[in-house]
Short mmCIF file of all heavy atoms in Angstrom, two decimals:
data_model
loop_
_atom_site.label_atom_id
_atom_site.label_comp_id
_atom_site.label_asym_id
_atom_site.label_seq_id
_atom_site.Cartn_x
_atom_site.Cartn_y
_atom_site.Cartn_z
N VAL D 215 148.93 20.75 134.28
CA VAL D 215 147.95 20.33 133.27
C VAL D 215 148.64 20.31 131.91
O VAL D 215 149.47 21.18 131.62
CB VAL D 215 146.75 21.31 133.20
CG1 VAL D 215 145.79 20.92 132.08
CG2 VAL D 215 146.01 21.38 134.52
N LEU D 217 148.22 20.85 127.99
CA LEU D 217 147.37 21.39 126.92
C LEU D 217 147.94 20.91 125.60
O LEU D 217 149.12 21.14 125.32
CB LEU D 217 147.42 22.93 126.93
CG LEU D 217 146.50 23.68 127.90
CD1 LEU D 217 146.83 25.18 127.85
CD2 LEU D 217 145.05 23.46 127.52
N ALA D 230 146.57 31.22 127.03
CA ALA D 230 145.84 30.71 128.21
C ALA D 230 146.83 30.27 129.29
O ALA D 230 146.64 30.55 130.48
CB ALA D 230 144.94 29.55 127.79
N ALA D 231 147.88 29.61 128.85
CA ALA D 231 148.89 29.14 129.81
C ALA D 231 149.49 30.31 130.58
O ALA D 231 149.73 30.22 131.80
CB ALA D 231 149.98 28.37 129.06
N LEU D 233 148.05 33.21 131.23
CA LEU D 233 147.08 33.69 132.20
C LEU D 233 146.95 32.74 133.39
O LEU D 233 146.88 33.15 134.54
CB LEU D 233 145.70 33.86 131.54
CG LEU D 233 145.63 34.90 130.40
CD1 LEU D 233 144.25 34.90 129.75
CD2 LEU D 233 145.95 36.30 130.95
N LEU D 234 146.97 31.46 133.07
CA LEU D 234 146.84 30.46 134.14
C LEU D 234 148.06 30.47 135.05
O LEU D 234 147.96 30.27 136.26
CB LEU D 234 146.64 29.06 133.53
CG LEU D 234 145.28 28.84 132.85
CD1 LEU D 234 145.35 27.70 131.85
CD2 LEU D 234 144.20 28.58 133.91
N ASP D 237 147.84 32.63 137.77
CA ASP D 237 146.96 32.04 138.79
C ASP D 237 147.63 30.91 139.56
O ASP D 237 147.00 30.25 140.37
CB ASP D 237 145.78 31.36 138.08
CG ASP D 237 144.60 32.27 137.94
OD1 ASP D 237 144.79 33.49 138.04
OD2 ASP D 237 143.50 31.73 137.71
N ILE D 239 148.62 28.12 138.05
CA ILE D 239 148.42 26.82 137.39
C ILE D 239 149.45 26.71 136.27
O ILE D 239 149.49 27.54 135.36
CB ILE D 239 146.99 26.68 136.83
CG1 ILE D 239 145.98 26.81 137.99
CG2 ILE D 239 146.83 25.34 136.14
CD1 ILE D 239 144.54 26.84 137.53
N VAL D 268 143.92 18.60 128.64
CA VAL D 268 142.92 19.38 127.90
C VAL D 268 143.41 19.50 126.46
O VAL D 268 144.56 19.90 126.23
CB VAL D 268 142.75 20.80 128.50
CG1 VAL D 268 141.82 21.65 127.61
CG2 VAL D 268 142.21 20.73 129.92
N ARG D 300 139.32 16.91 129.18
CA ARG D 300 138.38 17.88 128.60
C ARG D 300 138.84 18.29 127.22
O ARG D 300 140.02 18.54 127.00
CB ARG D 300 138.30 19.09 129.52
CG ARG D 300 137.37 20.15 129.00
CD ARG D 300 136.27 20.56 129.94
NE ARG D 300 135.70 19.52 130.76
CZ ARG D 300 135.04 19.75 131.91
NH1 ARG D 300 134.92 20.97 132.37
NH2 ARG D 300 134.53 18.75 132.58
N VAL D 302 138.42 21.26 124.57
CA VAL D 302 137.91 22.56 124.17
C VAL D 302 137.92 22.54 122.64
O VAL D 302 138.99 22.49 122.02
CB VAL D 302 138.79 23.71 124.70
CG1 VAL D 302 138.21 25.06 124.26
CG2 VAL D 302 138.89 23.63 126.21
N THR D 322 138.34 29.97 122.39
CA THR D 322 139.02 31.22 122.72
C THR D 322 139.90 30.98 123.94
O THR D 322 139.78 29.95 124.62
CB THR D 322 137.99 32.30 123.09
OG1 THR D 322 137.18 31.78 124.15
CG2 THR D 322 137.12 32.67 121.91
N VAL D 323 140.75 31.94 124.22
CA VAL D 323 141.61 31.85 125.40
C VAL D 323 140.75 31.66 126.66
O VAL D 323 141.04 30.81 127.50
CB VAL D 323 142.47 33.13 125.50
CG1 VAL D 323 143.25 33.15 126.82
CG2 VAL D 323 143.42 33.21 124.30
N ASP D 324 139.68 32.42 126.75
CA ASP D 324 138.77 32.30 127.90
C ASP D 324 138.26 30.90 128.12
O ASP D 324 138.23 30.40 129.23
CB ASP D 324 137.53 33.19 127.67
CG ASP D 324 137.77 34.61 128.13
OD1 ASP D 324 138.93 34.90 128.54
OD2 ASP D 324 136.82 35.41 128.06
N LYS D 325 137.84 30.30 127.03
CA LYS D 325 137.27 28.95 127.15
C LYS D 325 138.34 27.97 127.62
O LYS D 325 138.07 27.06 128.42
CB LYS D 325 136.71 28.47 125.81
CG LYS D 325 135.43 29.21 125.39
CD LYS D 325 134.87 28.61 124.11
CE LYS D 325 134.24 29.68 123.24
NZ LYS D 325 133.82 29.21 121.91
N VAL D 326 139.56 28.16 127.14
CA VAL D 326 140.65 27.25 127.55
C VAL D 326 140.95 27.48 129.02
O VAL D 326 141.09 26.52 129.80
CB VAL D 326 141.90 27.48 126.69
CG1 VAL D 326 143.05 26.60 127.17
CG2 VAL D 326 141.60 27.22 125.22
N VAL D 327 141.02 28.73 129.42
CA VAL D 327 141.32 29.04 130.82
C VAL D 327 140.26 28.40 131.73
O VAL D 327 140.59 27.74 132.72
CB VAL D 327 141.38 30.58 131.02
CG1 VAL D 327 141.35 30.94 132.50
CG2 VAL D 327 142.63 31.13 130.33
N THR D 328 139.02 28.56 131.36
CA THR D 328 137.94 27.99 132.17
C THR D 328 138.07 26.47 132.27
O THR D 328 137.93 25.88 133.35
CB THR D 328 136.57 28.34 131.55
OG1 THR D 328 136.52 29.75 131.36
CG2 THR D 328 135.43 27.90 132.44
N ALA D 329 138.33 25.85 131.14
CA ALA D 329 138.44 24.39 131.13
C ALA D 329 139.59 23.93 132.02
O ALA D 329 139.44 22.98 132.81
CB ALA D 329 138.64 23.88 129.70
N VAL D 330 140.71 24.59 131.90
CA VAL D 330 141.87 24.17 132.69
C VAL D 330 141.61 24.40 134.18
O VAL D 330 141.92 23.55 135.02
CB VAL D 330 143.14 24.92 132.24
CG1 VAL D 330 144.32 24.60 133.17
CG2 VAL D 330 143.49 24.54 130.80
N ARG D 331 141.03 25.53 134.51
CA ARG D 331 140.73 25.82 135.92
C ARG D 331 139.85 24.73 136.52
O ARG D 331 140.11 24.23 137.61
CB ARG D 331 140.01 27.17 136.04
CG ARG D 331 140.95 28.34 135.96
CD ARG D 331 140.50 29.49 136.87
NE ARG D 331 141.38 30.63 136.63
CZ ARG D 331 141.04 31.71 135.91
NH1 ARG D 331 139.83 31.82 135.40
NH2 ARG D 331 141.91 32.66 135.73
N THR D 332 138.79 24.39 135.80
CA THR D 332 137.87 23.36 136.29
C THR D 332 138.63 22.07 136.55
O THR D 332 138.44 21.39 137.57
CB THR D 332 136.78 23.07 135.23
OG1 THR D 332 136.39 24.30 134.65
CG2 THR D 332 135.60 22.34 135.83
N LEU D 333 139.50 21.75 135.61
CA LEU D 333 140.21 20.48 135.70
C LEU D 333 141.23 20.50 136.82
O LEU D 333 141.40 19.51 137.56
CB LEU D 333 140.93 20.24 134.38
CG LEU D 333 140.83 18.82 133.87
CD1 LEU D 333 139.37 18.49 133.63
CD2 LEU D 333 141.61 18.70 132.58
N ALA D 334 141.92 21.62 136.94
CA ALA D 334 142.95 21.72 137.97
C ALA D 334 142.31 21.60 139.35
O ALA D 334 142.93 21.11 140.30
CB ALA D 334 143.70 23.05 137.83
N ALA D 335 141.05 22.03 139.42
CA ALA D 335 140.36 21.98 140.71
C ALA D 335 139.72 20.62 140.97
O ALA D 335 139.17 20.38 142.04
CB ALA D 335 139.28 23.07 140.75
N TYR D 336 139.77 19.73 140.03
CA TYR D 336 139.09 18.44 140.15
C TYR D 336 139.71 17.60 141.25
O TYR D 336 140.92 17.42 141.32
CB TYR D 336 139.16 17.69 138.83
CG TYR D 336 138.39 16.38 138.81
CD1 TYR D 336 137.03 16.34 138.49
CD2 TYR D 336 139.03 15.19 139.12
CE1 TYR D 336 136.33 15.14 138.47
CE2 TYR D 336 138.33 13.99 139.11
CZ TYR D 336 136.98 13.96 138.78
OH TYR D 336 136.30 12.77 138.75
#
Side-chain angles (χ1 to χ4, degrees):
Chain D
V215 176
L217 277 173
L233 298 175
L234 289 159
D237 267 19
I239 300 174
V268 174
R300 179 124 324 158
V302 180
T322 55
V323 173
D324 274 4
K325 290 184 215 173
V326 177
V327 167
T328 308
V330 173
R331 280 215 185 104
T332 320
L333 223 61
Y336 184 86

